[in-house]
Amino acid sequence: MDLGLSEEQEMLKKSARDFLQRECPKKLVRQLDESDEGYSSELWRKMAELGWMGLAFPEEYGGSGRNFLDLAILLEEMGYNIVPGPFFSTVVLGGLTILTAGNEEQKMRFLPKIARGEMILSLALTEPTASYDAASVNTKAIARNGEYVIKGTKLFVLNANVADYILCVARTRKTKDPEDGITVFLVDARSPGLKCTLLKTLARDKQCEVVFDDVTVLEKSIVGKRDEGWPIVKAILQKAAVAKCAEMVGGAQAALDRAVNYAKERVQFGRPIGSFQAIQHYCANMAMDVGGSRFVTYKAAWRVSEDLPAALDAAIAKAWVSEAYGRVALSAHQIFGAIGFTMDHDIHLYYRQAKAAEIIFGGADFHRAIVARELGL
Amino acid sequence: MDFKFTEDEEAFRRKVHQWLKHEIPQRWTELDPGIWEETEESWALAREFQRKLGQKGWIAPAYPKEYGGLELSHMKRLILSEELAYNRTPMSIEEEITVNWVGPSIMLFGTEKQKKEYLTRIARGDVIFCLGYSEPNAGSDLASLQTRAVEVGDEYVINGQKTWCSYGHLADYCWLAARTDPDAPRHEGISIFIVDMKTPGITVRPLINILNRHSFNEVFFDDVHIPRENLVGQKNKGWYQLVIALDLERSSIGYAAGNQRIIEELIKYVKETTRNGEPLANDCLTRNELAQLVVENEVARMMAYRIAWMFSKGLHPSYESSMSMVFVSEVMRRTANAGMRILGHYGELDRDSKWSVMNSRIMRMCLSSLSIGVGGGSNEIQRNIIAIRGLGLPRR
């Protein structure tokens, strides 16, 4: 057993932290949060030059041949700094899905472009029910003359507003089993009939409503097999939950670091507030939450990386980290007091990140339900 | 990063598991004493079993071979602790103190003679120490202890009162912290001694614990004469020795493993129980509650693994152990509370009832778990350590 990072991983972590501190200051984060696009093409290009987009792709597809665990470590640093943009949707939701479920032609067509930073992807899964179960997939794709016509409304679609392609999860057949008859399509975001509207959200994270109004796609844009798309979606969700945990661990660590630094400097009653036991205990609890989150996340990421069954560990991680990050961000606000309640201060960026991350890919209750199922309950 | 155990380690786990399965006495399982529930009968069974364990080298597997240890790797020790706790091995809390605090302290600070005299016997399971730390006015503020040890010729004469000495009425020795220089600053005048509990002048008075059992004691020292050679380490440097000993390997993995077993029993219970005409396992609140326990216990387990892993890398965890300890203690309390909610009225029943379920473990745990975040440094003290040592927050 080895719970430490390898030398390569340490290097990745450190270079990511340095790069982001330099290239993605909070001023830029705020600008992007307030913009409609939500990402900086310059930063995007630089990240691609560092090989981040293709980090977990094999070299034959233009990647660096590293694994999911390495990607998780990079995401931890991206969470630490907060990096607005479509990295998560492009690489985790889009790229990894094509890598594991796509055919050779799709891989060759999409992955090198993603790796070079030339393509942005998005995943259109959730619908107005806002949940992650198969029965909620009601968007229809009807076969017609060797093509498919997609009709339906997708909600909470991350970064669809800037995506070149959207992975659309649609129903191609309705049977008694809701998991049967689901198909994943790669849809050109400029297709006629596709309409994307930006939603205004708490974390200002560019979630969209995407309406497919008779959008026509070719049969070859199916990822995997027709009607057998649900296992692909399940696999995406599992990876996405773990990857999101990694991002949250980074965010929680940043919120803790900031709160601790402030507690050391802020003087009241003639002494730093960090010398008061009430504040110290908040910080101790935050440190426990961060430490605990990190190791359950690494364990789940390691299992995904090693291709071992990871359903239980992924659910444990998302169930725990979702709530732990929320507690950490809340305590950070309490320590910052009034100053944290201003737009000018940075800590709310973490609080917002925590809230959005808690909900996406299922919150704690959703994942506890999976844990219970995995335990045979 | 690698979360799996090696094949050799897995084989070791199976070996320990098998051995325990065959060797744990039936009578012990019937008595089923939880923490703080020892009786004289269970104590005797535990002592006997510990000697068996000692023959395998599994009491103090970390010790050098010359002192009866196996110099076992940190990972195998982790596995051993997990298996011992999970399988409810006959042992008492004093075993942990003797093996993990007293022994290593003797190794670090003791004389050659003390090492020879005590270490092998500890590793064989022949001797048990009780702790003589707390006093009526020295709890969390341990450095304010007042028990005096005065050097007179070849002896020290001890006067004072200790309290919360668990199993002081059954232990062979007391690992005593006493003041040897009352004029020095309070951290500078404390020394550590080994005191034979049969020495004249020692009076042991029981304190009956919340489970209505005799586990703790007040111990009075009235002109207790002990040989000067029973001083451990340097005179007046005892506080520093004591603090180092608190940081010695103290993995809370045993608690997580024991708790794991309880959670599994609760899961089994809800699968077998019908409520309102439905299997209890179908009730979504119950499922949610049990899943949360599993999640929390996994976090606790990973925190404990991290400690063992740090040791295996030659690192010295300090606040990390506090984190692990605080966390698991609170998980255990939440497990007891969740268990009570799940069992409802049945959770209230003590063991002598024909209606009792899970051998009343939840009810007993509800009481016993109150001690986990208090003894050996309260959770508040542990949080201070995390904040000050771990996060660098100022003392003043």
Side-chain angles (χ1 to χ4, degrees):
Chain A
M1 183 166 306
D2 183 4
L3 305 190
L5 303 184
S6 68
E7 213 171 296
E8 269 185 317
Q9 288 166 336
E10 290 284 7
M11 261 168 56
L12 173 67
K13 192 176 165 78
K14 190 179 175 317
S15 67
R17 173 139 339 168
D18 294 345
F19 171 82
L20 290 172
Q21 258 168 16
R22 202 171 58 240
E23 302 289 338
C24 189
K26 290 296 174 285
K27 192 171 159 230
L28 177 64
V29 174
R30 288 158 182 282
Q31 267 173 24
L32 299 177
D33 279 358
E34 283 154 25
S35 73
D36 277 350
E37 295 76 24
Y39 86 109
S40 145
S41 49
E42 194 194 335
L43 179 62
W44 188 255
R45 183 178 50 76
K46 286 181 181 168
M47 281 160 55
E49 281 166 9
L50 288 172
W52 286 7
M53 279 73 159
L55 188 76
F57 301 162
E59 285 167 20
E60 62 210 271
Y61 303 120
S64 341
R66 309 273 294 259
N67 60 24
F68 183 80
L69 192 56
D70 297 321
L71 180 60
I73 286 157
L74 176 61
L75 282 164
E76 187 180 330
E77 284 311 311
M78 294 179 80
Y80 189 91
N81 196 87
I82 299 191
V83 186
F87 184 87
F88 197 99
S89 63
T90 301
V91 173
V92 179
L93 302 179
L96 292 186
T97 305
I98 293 171
L99 178 65
T100 43
N103 58 36
E104 197 52 36
E105 195 199 326
Q106 287 163 340
K107 288 187 211 179
M108 287 309 291
R109 188 167 155 220
F110 286 92
L111 298 182
K113 276 193 179 166
I114 293 174
R116 287 198 301 269
E118 291 165 7
M119 188 176 272
I120 292 173
L121 262 69
S122 174
L123 171 71
L125 166 62
T126 39
E127 299 191 9
T129 59
S131 66
Y132 292 88
D133 56 314
S136 288
V137 178
N138 287 311
T139 291
K140 286 186 186 66
I142 296 159
R144 195 182 290 161
N145 312 326
E147 295 180 334
Y148 285 84
V149 179
I150 304 176
K151 196 174 180 68
T153 298
K154 293 288 184 180
L155 260 187
F156 313 110
V157 184
L158 213 50
N159 306 112
N161 57 324
V162 292
D164 299 297
Y165 274 81
I166 297 175
L167 280 161
C168 178
V169 181
R171 186 162 294 286
T172 34
R173 181 166 78 189
K174 193 146 186 147
T175 65
K176 269 189 201 142
D177 177 8
E179 296 186 3
D180 174 40
I182 285 172
T183 307
V184 181
F185 295 92
L186 261 163
V187 185
D188 187 330
R190 285 167 307 251
S191 304
L194 191 151
K195 188 164 166 267
C196 178
T197 313
L198 199 56
L199 303 167
K200 240 180 140 173
T201 56
L202 173 77
R204 308 186 289 182
D205 52 358
K206 317 311 164 201
Q207 299 183 51
C208 304
E209 175 205 65
V210 181
V211 177
F212 292 82
D213 190 8
D214 290 337
V215 174
T216 307
V217 290
L218 299 174
E219 182 152 17
K220 68 172 190 178
S221 45
I222 291 176
V223 178
K225 285 187 183 150
R226 182 193 149 137
D227 297 329
E228 294 173 21
W230 187 248
I232 299 173
V233 176
K234 264 172 81 174
I236 308 175
L237 285 176
Q238 193 180 94
K239 282 191 185 126
V242 178
K244 191 49 84 173
C245 286
E247 212 179 89
M248 285 194 274
V249 167
Q253 181 72 57
L256 168 65
D257 289 352
R258 280 162 182 265
V260 166
N261 287 336
Y262 182 71
K264 287 177 184 172
E265 286 162 10
R266 168 76 173 165
V267 173
Q268 286 289 277
F269 304 100
R271 54 198 274 198
I273 60 167
S275 68
F276 292 111
Q277 211 174 25
I279 302 293
Q280 290 184 348
H281 287 192
Y282 279 143
C283 292
N285 288 342
M286 291 160 81
M288 279 191 282
D289 267 333
V290 174
S293 295
R294 179 169 286 123
F295 288 98
V296 281
T297 298
Y298 283 175
K299 186 181 177 201
W302 173 80
R303 289 192 74 92
V304 170
S305 223
E306 297 285 304
D307 242 342
L308 296 164
L312 178 62
D313 285 287
I316 285 176
K318 188 64 169 61
W320 178 256
V321 182
S322 290
E323 291 184 340
Y325 188 13
R327 285 192 295 268
V328 169
L330 194 61
S331 298
H333 266 283
Q334 189 62 24
I335 290 167
F336 278 107
I339 193 69
F341 196 66
T342 60
M343 273 312 257
D344 271 349
H345 200 274
D346 288 339
I347 197 67
H348 71 87
L349 299 172
Y350 291 94
Y351 185 69
R352 289 170 196 272
Q353 185 191 49
K355 288 288 147 202
E358 178 184 341
I359 294 162
I360 197 165
F361 312 126
D365 287 337
F366 177 85
H367 285 280
R368 279 192 289 263
I370 297 177
V371 171
R373 236 178 7 247
E374 290 291 318
L375 296 172
L377 281 171
Chain B
M1 209 174 296
D2 184 355
F3 282 81
K4 68 176 174 303
F5 292 103
T6 64
E7 195 34 60
D8 178 44
E9 287 162 350
E10 291 291 0
F12 177 70
R13 184 188 291 281
R14 286 192 295 273
K15 186 172 130 188
V16 175
H17 193 86
Q18 279 307 316
W19 189 83
L20 290 172
K21 226 171 108 180
H22 290 109
E23 297 293 333
I24 293 177
Q26 182 59 31
R27 181 63 185 148
W28 172 270
T29 310
E30 283 160 27
L31 290 172
D32 187 25
I35 185 171
W36 305 127
E37 290 183 305
E38 295 281 19
T39 58
E40 297 217 358
E41 186 186 3
S42 75
W43 178 270
L45 279 171
R47 305 291 320 119
E48 194 187 320
F49 189 81
Q50 286 296 315
R51 287 192 188 96
K52 263 191 183 173
L53 207 59
Q55 282 166 17
K56 307 281 295 178
W58 288 350
I59 290 186
Y63 288 12
K65 288 182 179 150
E66 58 173 316
Y67 299 128
L70 296 173
E71 295 168 28
L72 214 57
S73 74
H74 285 274
M75 282 305 150
K76 282 193 180 164
R77 279 144 65 186
L78 176 86
I79 289 169
L80 181 60
S81 304
E82 245 182 340
E83 289 299 324
L84 292 178
Y86 183 87
N87 291 292
R88 296 176 177 151
T89 307
M91 62 191 296
S92 71
I93 195 94
E94 295 313 292
E95 226 84 58
E96 171 96 12
I97 285 167
T98 304
V99 173
N100 293 336
W101 291 10
V102 173
S105 296
I106 292 175
M107 237 176 288
L108 279 173
F109 308 111
T111 60
E112 237 2 85
K113 193 174 168 215
Q114 286 168 340
K115 290 180 198 173
K116 286 213 174 70
E117 185 164 353
Y118 299 105
L119 292 177
T120 313
R121 285 159 73 208
I122 290 174
R124 279 202 310 248
D126 286 341
V127 289
I128 289 288
F129 283 69
C130 64
L131 274 192
Y133 281 4
S134 298
E135 296 179 7
N137 292 313
S140 288
D141 184 15
L142 187 57
S144 68
L145 61 89
Q146 295 299 329
T147 293
R148 289 277 281 127
V150 180
E151 196 171 349
V152 184
D154 277 351
E155 294 182 327
Y156 277 93
V157 180
I158 298 160
N159 276 288
Q161 181 190 348
K162 292 287 173 183
T163 191
W164 309 122
C165 303
S166 13
Y167 302 104
H169 56 304
L170 298 165
D172 306 292
Y173 297 97
C174 179
W175 182 254
L176 182 79
R179 192 160 295 284
T180 34
D181 184 352
D183 302 321
R186 54 198 218 125
H187 294 104
E188 310 286 338
I190 295 171
S191 304
I192 302 286
F193 299 94
I194 294 171
V195 182
D196 188 325
M197 288 301 282
K198 291 186 292 294
T199 318
I202 296 179
T203 311
V204 179
R205 224 162 57 191
L207 289 165
I208 303 304
N209 71 27
I210 197 168
L211 289 128
N212 203 22
R213 290 282 167 84
H214 176 193
S215 60
F216 303 117
N217 300 277
E218 295 178 295
V219 179
F220 298 87
F221 296 85
D222 294 308
D223 285 332
V224 174
H225 291 248
I226 60 165
R228 197 168 63 176
E229 62 182 38
N230 284 18
L231 169 75
V232 182
Q234 264 180 285
K235 188 179 177 183
N236 295 330
K237 292 284 175 232
W239 177 260
Y240 303 99
Q241 294 171 202
L242 185 149
V243 170
I244 289 168
L246 285 174
D247 275 351
L248 292 172
E249 182 157 354
R250 204 163 36 124
S251 153
S252 41
I253 189 60
Y255 288 125
N259 206 48
Q260 173 79 31
R261 183 85 181 265
I262 299 270
I263 296 169
E264 286 171 10
E265 284 170 350
L266 277 169
I267 289 171
K268 183 165 176 279
Y269 175 83
V270 305
K271 282 181 180 171
E272 291 167 353
T273 304
T274 302
R275 198 170 289 170
N276 299 329
E278 274 259 1
L280 188 50
N282 291 356
D283 172 57
C284 73
L285 290 176
T286 302
R287 296 167 70 89
N288 195 53
E289 193 133 56
L290 281 170
Q292 180 64 11
L293 294 182
V294 168
V295 168
E296 291 185 8
N297 208 62
E298 180 65 13
V299 174
R301 193 214 313 266
M302 284 300 120
M303 283 186 174
Y305 276 22
R306 174 201 194 185
I307 307 295
W309 167 73
M310 285 179 78
F311 275 113
S312 77
K313 290 279 153 193
L315 303 167
H316 290 281
S318 68
Y319 71 94
E320 292 92 344
S321 312
S322 297
M323 276 191 186
S324 181
M325 204 48 235
V326 170
F327 191 83
V328 78
S329 72
E330 294 180 353
V331 172
M332 286 168 76
R333 289 179 186 181
R334 285 195 289 268
T335 303
N337 281 320
M340 284 298 277
R341 282 194 294 272
I342 290 168
L343 300 186
H345 275 309
Y346 285 96
E348 300 174 68
L349 293 170
D350 207 344
R351 279 195 284 191
D352 46 16
S353 168
K354 67 168 182 172
W355 293 98
S356 71
V357 298
M358 280 177 68
N359 208 11
S360 303
R361 249 177 199 286
I362 293 298
M363 174 261 187
R364 296 186 279 139
M365 189 181 177
C366 231
L367 297 171
S368 65
S369 64
L370 295 170
S371 77
I372 312 295
V374 175
S378 70
N379 280 359
E380 287 64 38
I381 297 293
Q382 305 290 0
R383 283 188 164 92
N384 294 351
I385 291 172
I386 297 167
I388 292 167
R389 270 204 250 166
L391 300 171
L393 288 167
R395 280 177 193 277
R396 298 249 179 269

